[in-house]
Amino acid sequence: MKLNGKVIVITGAGGGIGRQLVVQALDEGASVAAVDINPDALEATQLAAGKHADRLSLHTANITDRHAVCGLPEAVKAAHGKIDAIINNAGIIQPFIPFAELDYETIQRVMNINIYGMMYMTRAFLPYIGESAEGYIANVSSMGGFLPVPGQALYGASKAAVKLLTEALRSELINTNIHVSVIMPGGVATDITKNSGVEASSNATEENSSNYKMTTPEEAAAIILSGIKKNKPRILVGKDAKFMDFLSRLAPVKASQYITKMMASLVEQRGGNEGLKTAGCLGKDK
């Protein structure tokens, strides 16, 4: 899909990959509707857009609010006249702890943003994208969506759901004018940890980051938009994502062992069944 002249909706546009997607799509000649829950972050994205800001509209919205999402398509159409594509980029991670120690509030928040937010946006905008001569839906999953990552089990499950739903959507829309891509980034140097309300020790973060060079948001956005322009069904972002995709297909157990070793500095290891005491039917409420 050529980006020039297209109207693209981008969620999570207030920073990181989302902001770079906005800036680079504008550079390619597209018009962009930037969606984020944080109005201050959206204003910073508008500043980053520079001379192309006249083709940018800002939309503050909570994508987990289905009723609020339902009003977005008409607001975007009023601003730009049409809607050609959506990139569902918004997402959060979970605290770097085992699944058994997650509280229900965190479980619901991760699933609401990563799964339901993406579904609400896709369903709301699908009829409008279907009116385009060439439409596009691109959903951001993760390397954790095809590879089990200790300490991110829930996040991985949510992103695996994004991956499978997107692939099924591609099959359902194969005879239409809409292209569909699933995007699977590896490690990207963004503020997703802070924006997700997740704390990790600085020493552990530095040690983990030093194990390999993470992809920059600028590089990630360029790879994503290049894949969209080529109508690629799967867009792997970063050398780590490409390597782990290959390894997980060739030797899934070895791939799982490798990523467990890589994550050891971020996830506190407890001996025996100690960590299971917080689980059960009720688990941790707070």
Side-chain angles (χ1 to χ4, degrees):
M1 183 184 80
K2 292 183 179 179
L3 302 183
N4 185 41
K6 297 294 192 296
V7 175
I8 305 174
V9 179
I10 300 175
T11 67
I17 296 175
R19 179 175 295 167
Q20 285 303 314
L21 285 170
V22 170
V23 171
Q24 294 184 32
L26 289 170
D27 287 342
E28 293 268 2
S31 295
V32 176
V35 179
D36 201 281
I37 196 170
N38 187 335
D40 294 334
L42 282 176
E43 289 182 9
T45 296
Q46 186 176 41
L47 289 175
K51 63 182 180 179
H52 300 312
D54 61 323
R55 285 186 275 111
L56 174 66
S57 64
L58 306 180
H59 305 268
T60 303
N62 179 358
I63 62 170
T64 70
D65 183 339
R66 178 166 56 90
H67 298 290
V69 166
C70 282
L72 279 176
E74 284 299 325
V76 173
K77 192 170 182 178
H80 299 283
K82 63 172 183 172
I83 302 168
D84 297 297
I86 184 169
I87 303 177
N88 284 302
N89 164 73
I92 62 170
I93 61 172
Q94 66 168 79
F96 291 95
I97 58 176
F99 171 75
E101 298 180 26
L102 288 172
D103 59 78
Y104 283 114
E105 182 180 350
T106 298
I107 290 172
Q108 290 172 351
R109 182 167 179 258
V110 170
M111 298 304 283
N112 281 342
I113 293 174
N114 292 357
I115 292 292
Y116 286 102
M118 179 274 295
M119 288 195 295
Y120 294 158
M121 290 292 293
T122 301
R123 281 180 60 89
F125 280 90
L126 190 53
Y128 296 80
I129 294 172
E131 295 173 355
S132 172
E134 183 182 23
Y136 216 108
I137 297 171
N139 294 328
V140 177
S141 176
S142 169
M143 181 173 73
F146 63 77
L147 178 73
V149 179
Q152 288 293 312
L154 180 69
Y155 169 78
S158 71
K159 289 302 187 178
V162 171
K163 175 181 179 291
L164 190 57
L165 188 147
T166 305
E167 290 171 340
L169 191 60
R170 183 191 313 122
S171 296
E172 292 179 356
L173 297 175
I174 196 167
N175 293 320
T176 73
N177 58 324
I178 302 174
H179 305 289
V180 180
S181 293
V182 60
I183 301 160
M184 290 170 285
V188 181
T190 69
D191 289 333
I192 189 172
T193 300
K194 180 179 71 176
N195 294 337
S196 301
V198 172
E199 294 182 1
S201 71
S202 58
N203 290 338
T205 303
E206 290 173 5
E207 181 182 342
N208 189 69
S209 298
S210 66
N211 288 331
Y212 62 88
K213 184 179 181 297
M214 290 195 290
T215 305
T216 67
E218 293 84 355
E219 292 169 335
I223 293 169
I224 291 169
L225 293 179
S226 175
I228 289 174
K229 287 190 288 185
K230 296 174 183 176
N231 297 336
K232 294 180 67 173
R234 299 174 77 247
I235 303 173
L236 292 163
V237 180
K239 293 180 179 179
D240 53 349
K242 292 179 180 178
F243 172 70
M244 294 311 301
D245 179 58
F246 169 77
L247 185 60
S248 64
R249 293 168 184 270
L250 180 68
V253 174
K254 183 172 290 186
S256 179
Q257 292 170 341
Y258 176 79
I259 201 69
T260 298
K261 182 179 179 180
M262 292 289 290
M263 291 294 294
S265 62
L266 284 176
V267 184
E268 184 179 351
Q269 300 297 315
R270 294 173 175 81
N273 296 335
E274 184 64 26
L276 303 183
K277 294 179 180 179
T278 56
C281 251
L282 295 179
K284 294 166 63 180
D285 292 329
K286 300 291 183 185

